[in-house]
Amino acid sequence: MAVNILAIESSCDDTGAAVIADGKMLSNIIAGQAVHEQYGGVVPELASRAHQENIVPVVDLALKKAGLQLTDLSAVAFTQSPGLIGSLLVGSCFAKSLALALDLPLIGVHHMQAHVLANFIDDPKPQFPCLCLTVSGGHTQIVLCESPLKMTVIGETTDDAAGEAFDKSAKLLGLPYPGGPLVDKHAREGNPERFRFPEPQIPGLNFSFSGLKTAILYFLQENQAKQADFAAANMADICASIQHRIVTILMNKLVKASKETGISEICIAGGVSANSGLRKALETYGAQHGWNVYIPKFEYCTDNAAMIAITAHYKYLAGEFSPLDTVPTARAAFSAI
């Protein structure tokens, strides 16, 4: 009998449900929340309420698309950490209630570990050991992966994440929320070499983006004092130059990590891995350095339940289940889940 796992993702502002059977994804449903656009960012309380409205229809649709009933399930998985605590509570309470009612095993999943394992949903899959550059709105990490469930963060941001750098730059440019994808869109039409932004000199494999954000702020202030419409008139080139610097910061550290570890199996994950500049750069650097490169499909880059499902699949095989008194946490290391 197939091992069918229902997975729920509710860490931020997307309600997701996916069904996986013996490692094969049968469905992956996501409901977004447009309510946050008018506020220029995610409002936690509104996100929690939207999750409550969306979770039942999303789970129902995921099961229907998979062609399964609740009685066909072998386990229920959910995002336990990190994320907005109110949003996590909605998903965890639903998952625990369902597991209790159906007398099924419960599997708590670490959101960032799941981002990494999004690379293992489809073939070809990375070979172990591999390095994963995980880049999202709240995290920027280089993860050394020895197995699906044994991961170590060997480099991370000391302040802002790369996704924050994109979004904050977009806000400085007057672009609406969410700004990161709009920076990417404008960058495709611009000259990435026109404006030069500094690269932070951070030792080791760690990152820093706060200084870059400040440099962009001063750059815009200085030029808009001379020309009021400077940003609007040069939007494509500014976005291309900002994106180029963020991407080179990420790639230079990844090159260093590969050299230090001797690992050439390289993948990316997280919301920013949907960025066209980063995806292209990984392929270019991969060809230059002899890497085997893996890039998830766009649907598996941003927050989604499929990545929770594939992580739960590996945890199920390893017998790593969670008790019903498991509680979600806003922050937790990989080893804590």
Side-chain angles (χ1 to χ4, degrees):
M1 181 178 177
V3 175
N4 302 316
I5 302 174
L6 169 68
I8 295 166
E9 153 62 15
S10 66
S11 63
C12 191
D13 61 334
D14 289 319
T15 311
V19 177
I20 190 169
D22 291 334
K24 180 182 178 181
M25 206 63 59
L26 301 183
S27 63
N28 182 37
I29 307 300
I30 301 172
Q33 299 179 4
V35 66
H36 306 286
E37 294 177 5
Q38 60 186 305
Y39 299 103
V42 177
V43 181
E45 177 61 26
L46 295 181
S48 302
R49 293 178 183 180
H51 282 305
Q52 289 178 312
E53 295 175 359
N54 293 336
I55 194 164
V56 170
V58 165
V59 167
D60 184 56
L61 184 57
L63 287 168
K64 286 181 178 177
K65 187 172 182 181
L68 298 178
Q69 304 290 327
L70 286 173
T71 52
D72 297 319
L73 296 177
S74 308
V76 181
F78 69 100
T79 303
Q80 185 179 345
S81 178
L84 300 175
I85 193 62
S87 295
L88 290 169
L89 279 167
V90 175
S92 64
C93 288
F94 186 94
K96 289 195 289 184
S97 299
L98 196 59
L100 177 62
L102 298 174
D103 193 26
L104 295 176
L106 181 71
I107 304 173
V109 171
H110 191 287
H111 183 81
M112 298 311 295
Q113 181 184 25
H115 268 307
V116 175
L117 290 178
N119 286 279
F120 292 81
I121 294 174
D122 294 324
D123 291 324
K125 298 177 175 63
Q127 299 297 308
F128 294 107
C130 64
L131 292 177
C132 185
L133 174 65
T134 309
V135 198
S136 67
H139 297 79
T140 301
Q141 302 172 330
I142 297 177
V143 183
L144 171 59
C145 311
E146 299 177 61
S147 74
L149 303 180
K150 187 176 182 181
M151 301 180 184
T152 305
V153 177
I154 60 175
E156 59 188 334
T157 183
T158 59
D159 41 59
D160 288 354
E164 288 179 275
F166 273 112
D167 287 337
K168 290 178 180 178
S169 296
K171 191 170 184 179
L172 292 173
L173 289 167
L175 298 174
Y177 174 86
L182 294 177
V183 171
D184 186 16
K185 180 180 179 181
H186 287 293
R188 296 174 195 176
E189 302 173 0
N191 175 11
E193 303 290 342
R194 183 177 173 194
F195 303 111
R196 298 295 182 119
F197 296 106
E199 179 171 359
Q201 300 303 306
I202 306 299
L205 298 176
N206 287 338
F207 303 88
S208 172
F209 292 97
S210 62
L212 174 62
K213 178 194 65 179
T214 302
I216 294 169
L217 170 64
Y218 289 160
F219 165 81
L220 291 172
Q221 288 178 340
E222 179 182 349
N223 284 280
Q224 289 182 155
K226 302 174 185 176
Q227 179 185 345
D229 66 342
F230 174 78
N234 298 278
M235 185 65 73
D237 288 347
I238 296 172
C239 287
S241 299
I242 291 173
Q243 178 164 290
H244 175 71
R245 174 49 69 209
I246 294 174
V247 169
T248 55
I249 291 171
L250 294 170
M251 295 309 303
N252 288 341
K253 290 291 186 178
L254 189 55
V255 168
K256 186 175 183 179
S258 176
K259 290 180 178 179
E260 289 186 3
T261 60
I263 295 173
S264 58
E265 294 281 305
I266 310 293
C267 53
I268 57 175
V272 181
S273 65
N275 178 273
S276 64
L278 179 57
R279 295 169 82 92
K280 183 178 179 180
L282 185 66
E283 293 177 342
T284 301
Y285 277 69
Q288 292 173 351
H289 296 278
W291 295 343
N292 294 320
V293 169
Y294 305 88
I295 303 175
K297 291 181 180 177
F298 284 108
E299 65 186 287
Y300 301 142
C301 291
T302 53
D303 292 349
N304 65 90
M307 67 184 195
I308 306 301
I310 190 66
T311 308
H313 165 72
Y314 287 115
K315 297 189 81 168
Y316 186 98
L317 295 179
E320 293 189 11
F321 303 116
S322 305
L324 282 172
D325 61 358
T326 295
V327 294
T329 57
R331 295 184 181 277
F334 281 5
S335 59
I337 298 296

